[in-house]
């Protein structure tokens, strides 16, 4: 790698149904909701107070409230409450209106329960769309206000124009510059949630056919996942995402029946994960409207997301984020850079890849000279551990693996402050790189010096 550039059950519990543990209630759109014989203290509160209270409820609770009394039904149908739900689930976009739906409530219901896709925005998969298990893919899910649907677009990067220069610090080394071009593949979405898709199905275990249809002959279905509790996980279990990637939930990632087993699927929306999902794809001859036939080359992709706090840069963690790496012949790859607290504390034990790193710091640079910058002390703005994990990979080091780790980018790991023209002012720190033969065989660690420059 030559450089990095930052880029940026049974029964379905639906909004139109009461919770499973509740007695049967009329449909939320029915005008004949039950009426209490006597008003409660809650119903005689001023309308403004009731609105403020209802604004604290989640969508399913608000939907259930529409079946308690005509008065509360009227309050619960207030469109401003449902407008807030839509906007909270599309934080990175400004939605000016509810078109093509007639109301914000109708818009929310039409795409329920898939709003978590836009709320988490960025997703990475265990396989590429081509089926490669080594490379994976990075996807952005957004709301399309023109058609009232959710669509998932692959994020691509190419190396762009670059030049070759000799490195003044080590003249035998040739540095090639890196000017990546990052774009969305807008013409071929791998995910498309149209309005009302989920309402046509009776179970959260159902896989739902998506009308992507841009790549001829390729069809795909989306399904919800059941997250595993920590007690259900063990070291021998294949999980997605891998344990080295921070995640709120993990799911099983190995199945002889391509994830059709009941254990992979949620029994209700309560059990459904909002941090993972699956896409089943296959090739089928015939038009989009043709009946489903034989699945050729069927495969399943599992997607997960990273909590936003792990890829958002802060004053204390300026290097944290999702970056593009230049891997020469392999092209561009996306990396998750995580910067730990200054105290170096970890939420998990060191992996076998990381263990050699902790024994490597001897306080000297590659020429045996002690760096004067270490003796001058640090201001605390750039310290702690920095690790780079591949979100997309290549045939040598696949997605979900470390590509390099710097145990301490502060005083303990500092080698020198670069003074050569190309990297003047950059901090050079000791790091551990990961290399392997094709097929991720014969992996080993190499020591190198990582140069970081805020510019």
């Amino acid at each position: 790698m030559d450089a990095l550039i930052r880029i940026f059950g049974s029964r379905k519990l639906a909004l139109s149904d009461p919770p499973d543990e509740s007695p049967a209630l009329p449909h939320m759109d029915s005008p004949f909701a039950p009426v209490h014989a006597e008003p409660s203290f809650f119903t005689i509160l001023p309308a403004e107070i009731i609105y403020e209270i209802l604004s604290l409820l989640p969508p399913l609770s608000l939907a259930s409230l529409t079946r308690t009394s005509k008065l509360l039904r009227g309050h619960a149908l207030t469109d401003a409450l449902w407008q807030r739900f839509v906007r909270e689930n599309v934080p990175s976009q400004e939605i000016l209106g509810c078109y093509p739906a007639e109301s914000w409530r109708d818009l929310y219901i039409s795409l329920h329960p898939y709003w978590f896709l836009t709320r988490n925005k960025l997703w990475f998969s265990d396989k590429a769309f081509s089926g490669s298990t080594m490379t994976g893919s990075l996807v952005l899910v957004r709301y399309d206000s023109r058609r009232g649907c959710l669509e998932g677009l692959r994020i691509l990067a190419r190396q762009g124009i670059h030049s070759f220069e000799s490195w003044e610090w080590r003249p035998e080394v040739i540095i090639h510059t890196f000017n990546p071009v990052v774009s969305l593949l807008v013409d071929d979405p791998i995910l498309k949630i149209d309005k009302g898709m989920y309402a046509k199905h009776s179970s959260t275990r159902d896989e739902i056919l998506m009308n992507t249809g841009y790549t001829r002959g390729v069809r795909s279905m989306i399904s919800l996942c059941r997250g595993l509790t920590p007690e259900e996980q063990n070291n021998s279990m294949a999980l997605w995402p891998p344990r080295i990637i921070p995640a709120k939930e993990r799911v099983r990632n190995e199945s002889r029946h391509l994830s059709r087993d009941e254990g992979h699927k949620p029994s209700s929306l309560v059990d459904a994960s909002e941090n993972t999902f699956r896409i089943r794809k296959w090739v089928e001859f015939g038009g989009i409207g043709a009946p489903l036939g034989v699945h050729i080359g069927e495969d399943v992709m599992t997607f997960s997301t990273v909590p936003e706090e792990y890829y958002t840069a802060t004053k204390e963690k300026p290097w944290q984020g999702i970056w593009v790496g230049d891997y020469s012949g392999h092209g561009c790859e996306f990396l998750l850079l995580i910067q730990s607290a200054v105290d170096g504390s970890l939420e998990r034990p060191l992996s076998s890849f990381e263990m050699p790193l902790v024994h490597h710091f001897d306080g000297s640079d590659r020429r045996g000279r002690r760096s004067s910058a270490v003796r001058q002390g640090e201001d605390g703005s750039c310290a702690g551990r920095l690790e780079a994990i591949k979100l997309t990979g290549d045939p040598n080091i696949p997605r979900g693996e470390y590509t390099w780790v710097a145990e301490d980018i502060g005083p303990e790991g500092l080698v020198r402050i670069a003074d050569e023209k190309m990297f003047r002012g950059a901090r050079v720190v000791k790091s551990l790189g990961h290399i392997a033969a094709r097929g991720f065989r014969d992996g080993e660690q190499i020591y190198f010096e990582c140069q970081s420059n805020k510019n």
Side-chain angles (χ1 to χ4, degrees):
M1 182 185 65
D2 300 291
L4 294 177
I5 296 291
R6 189 202 309 263
I7 64 167
F8 95 150
S10 61
R11 184 168 167 275
K12 174 179 63 177
L13 178 62
L15 287 173
S16 57
D17 296 318
D20 289 339
E21 63 271 18
S22 302
L25 295 173
H27 191 281
M28 69 183 300
D29 290 324
S30 169
F32 302 107
V35 180
H36 291 298
E38 297 181 2
S40 67
F41 288 109
F42 179 70
T43 59
I44 62 177
L45 291 173
E48 295 82 359
I49 301 299
I50 294 179
Y51 176 85
E52 291 299 324
I53 294 174
L54 298 192
S55 67
L56 303 175
L57 295 179
L60 289 178
S61 297
L62 195 62
S64 297
L65 196 64
T66 62
R67 291 158 247 145
T68 57
S69 74
K70 288 183 178 179
L71 175 64
L72 291 181
R73 175 181 172 83
H75 284 294
L77 295 182
T78 302
D79 219 28
L81 294 171
W82 298 91
Q83 179 185 23
R84 178 175 61 87
F85 294 141
V86 172
R87 289 183 167 168
E88 285 178 350
N89 284 286
V90 192
S92 57
Q93 294 177 247
E94 182 180 2
I95 303 179
L96 300 179
C98 59
Y99 176 86
E102 294 183 358
S103 67
W104 290 101
R105 175 175 170 272
D106 289 344
L107 175 59
Y108 184 86
I109 293 174
S110 69
L111 297 173
H112 170 78
Y114 298 106
W115 286 107
F116 70 89
L117 297 172
T118 51
R119 185 170 68 246
N120 292 316
K121 300 189 294 291
L122 290 173
W123 299 84
F124 59 99
S125 66
D126 61 335
K127 299 175 184 176
F129 192 65
S130 62
S132 170
T133 58
M134 304 288 283
T135 54
S137 59
L138 186 64
V139 171
L140 172 71
V141 179
R142 67 183 184 182
Y143 172 69
D144 185 343
S145 58
R146 298 170 302 161
R147 294 174 290 177
C149 67
L150 309 180
E151 59 179 6
L153 307 174
R154 280 171 284 176
I155 305 176
L156 305 177
R158 56 186 176 85
Q159 293 169 323
I161 300 174
H162 58 267
S163 60
F164 298 89
E165 301 179 31
S166 177
W167 186 15
E168 180 184 346
W169 179 253
R170 291 186 62 178
E172 70 275 16
V173 176
I174 301 297
I175 304 291
H176 83 188
T177 60
F178 184 34
N179 296 289
V181 178
V182 180
S183 60
L184 290 174
L185 188 57
V186 296
D187 295 330
D188 190 14
I190 67 169
L191 178 153
K192 188 170 182 285
I193 307 295
D194 292 308
K195 59 182 180 180
M197 273 179 41
Y198 183 76
K200 301 174 183 177
H201 294 260
S202 60
S203 172
T204 54
R205 292 192 172 99
D206 289 349
E207 297 184 353
I208 301 176
L209 184 66
M210 297 185 292
N211 186 26
T212 49
Y214 291 92
T215 303
R216 185 172 181 82
V218 176
R219 291 193 173 190
S220 58
M221 289 180 166
I222 187 172
S223 61
L224 301 174
C225 295
R226 185 182 75 86
L228 297 176
T229 64
E231 293 73 25
E232 293 176 304
Q233 301 175 26
N234 59 65
N235 293 333
S236 62
M237 185 180 294
L239 299 174
W240 191 258
R243 291 177 177 84
I244 65 172
I245 298 179
K248 293 180 180 179
E249 289 181 294
R250 305 186 196 279
V251 296
R252 291 169 56 195
N253 196 39
E254 198 171 73
S255 171
R256 290 180 296 177
H257 306 291
L258 292 177
S259 301
R260 287 192 176 89
D261 315 70
E262 292 299 314
H264 288 275
K265 301 178 180 181
S267 58
S268 69
L269 284 182
V270 175
D271 298 326
S273 168
E274 292 194 340
N275 300 283
T276 57
F277 67 92
R278 289 190 176 95
I279 291 179
R280 184 184 305 277
K281 62 182 182 65
W282 67 94
V283 175
E284 186 171 327
F285 297 104
I288 295 298
L292 296 181
V294 178
H295 294 190
I296 302 173
E298 182 176 339
D299 202 0
V300 175
M301 303 169 66
T302 303
F303 288 80
S304 182
T305 188
V306 177
E308 193 169 351
E309 61 267 24
Y310 285 98
Y311 63 83
T312 301
T314 65
K315 182 179 179 180
E316 294 76 23
K317 301 177 181 181
W319 311 114
Q320 192 159 265
I322 295 177
W323 295 67
V324 180
D326 182 357
Y327 283 77
S328 191
H330 294 305
C332 294
E333 299 177 22
F334 293 101
L335 311 179
L336 173 65
L337 264 63
I338 301 175
Q339 191 172 349
S340 69
V342 175
D343 62 7
S345 59
L346 292 173
E347 298 179 357
R348 52 172 176 73
L350 291 174
S351 68
S352 58
F353 165 74
E354 302 165 273
M355 283 301 294
L357 188 62
V358 299
H359 306 295
H360 180 59
F361 298 106
D362 58 3
S364 61
D365 65 13
R366 67 173 184 88
R367 296 184 177 180
R369 296 193 300 266
R370 181 75 175 182
S371 171
S372 60
V374 174
R375 294 194 297 270
Q376 292 170 0
E378 300 294 324
D379 58 7
S381 62
C382 188
R385 171 191 175 86
L386 187 63
E387 53 188 49
I389 305 169
K390 288 192 175 187
L391 295 181
T392 60
D394 55 61
N396 294 78
I397 304 295
R399 82 290 176 275
E401 295 288 342
Y402 284 109
T403 183
W404 54 262
V405 173
E407 184 64 27
D408 190 347
I409 59 175
E412 293 300 318
L414 184 64
V415 175
R416 64 186 181 92
I417 302 296
D419 57 4
E420 60 270 28
K421 181 180 179 181
M422 184 178 296
F423 300 111
R424 183 165 290 128
R427 297 170 57 83
V428 182
V429 297
K430 297 175 183 177
S431 306
L432 184 68
H434 200 178
I435 61 173
R438 194 174 183 85
F440 197 38
R441 296 179 294 104
D442 305 322
E444 60 179 292
Q445 301 85 21
I446 60 169
Y447 299 110
F448 70 99
E449 297 172 358
C450 176
Q451 306 201 36
S452 58
N453 194 318
K454 291 184 180 180
N455 296 325

